[in-house]
Amino acid sequence: MRRGQVSAFFTPWEVMDRALILGPNLHPALPEIARAGALAGVEIGLIGSAALQTVTGLPYLRPESDLDLVVRAESLRALEQLAAMLARLAKRRSLAIDVEIALPGGLGVKLTELLSGARTVLGKTITGVELIERPRLISLFEAPPPARPDPQHPIKQPERKRQWM
């Protein structure tokens, strides 16, 4: 696709908002996932097949499709709570849920890897991958969170307009 062919861009957070408007018809687990995020204090974005279907209206999801999510959280504890809730939901619905954590600097890591206790975790960026020492990732949650722009203010939305990875 050429640059001139792109007519719009939506962040994963905006896609999740759109998906929730569609309701359980898109995927019956999405409202429960959104509630789990709200309870844990974690912002959840939608990526993958469900996101493509939300934005295009084309039938990307199949019965065996997993749900791909990206999340932002300000504490490791919130991620642990979310992981526990999603594990129960996935088991109850026989559903695969794949969760990536969006970290500062455009870095993404799998939630299961971060919480696994492994010494190193695979970090992904838009330009490549690298092994990152787990203590370095944990330190990102111990630092004071950066100030977030008001999402309702039209001038202060640079974070919502850039790619997450």
Side-chain angles (χ1 to χ4, degrees):
M1 176 173 277
R2 291 186 307 276
R3 176 176 265 177
Q5 293 176 300
V6 176
S7 62
F9 174 83
F10 302 101
T11 67
W13 331 111
E14 293 167 324
V15 175
M16 184 63 157
D17 291 343
R18 287 172 173 251
L20 292 172
I21 291 169
L22 294 174
N25 292 335
L26 175 68
H27 196 288
L30 286 177
E32 289 180 79
I33 289 169
R35 279 192 297 278
L39 287 170
V42 175
E43 188 176 12
I44 297 181
L46 190 60
I47 55 178
S49 300
L52 289 170
Q53 187 163 323
T54 298
V55 173
T56 67
L58 298 173
Y60 284 93
L61 287 173
R62 297 183 309 267
E64 68 277 5
S65 293
D66 64 345
L67 281 177
D68 297 303
L69 308 173
V70 60
V71 301
R72 288 192 285 213
E74 296 189 7
S75 76
L76 193 56
R77 176 86 175 118
L79 290 172
E80 290 167 342
Q81 289 177 316
L82 179 69
M85 287 187 270
L86 291 181
R88 287 190 298 271
L89 171 67
K91 184 176 181 178
R92 191 174 72 249
R93 289 188 169 269
S94 298
L95 171 68
I97 302 174
D98 184 28
V99 182
E100 292 282 331
I101 306 166
L103 295 167
L107 181 64
V109 298
K110 287 183 76 74
L111 176 62
T112 54
E113 287 185 34
L114 179 67
L115 298 180
S116 72
R119 181 178 154 101
T120 57
V121 176
L122 184 68
K124 296 171 262 183
T125 66
I126 197 74
T127 58
V129 297
E130 63 180 287
L131 285 175
I132 302 167
E133 296 291 323
R134 189 172 185 279
R136 181 175 149 221
L137 291 173
I138 299 302
S139 73
L140 295 174
F141 294 100
E142 295 166 353
R148 284 226 171 115
D150 180 354
Q152 302 305 315
H153 194 286
I155 297 172
K156 296 183 178 182
Q157 292 189 14
E159 181 177 309
R160 290 174 89 54
K161 293 184 188 295
R162 70 171 192 246
Q163 293 181 345
W164 73 277
M165 271 182 41

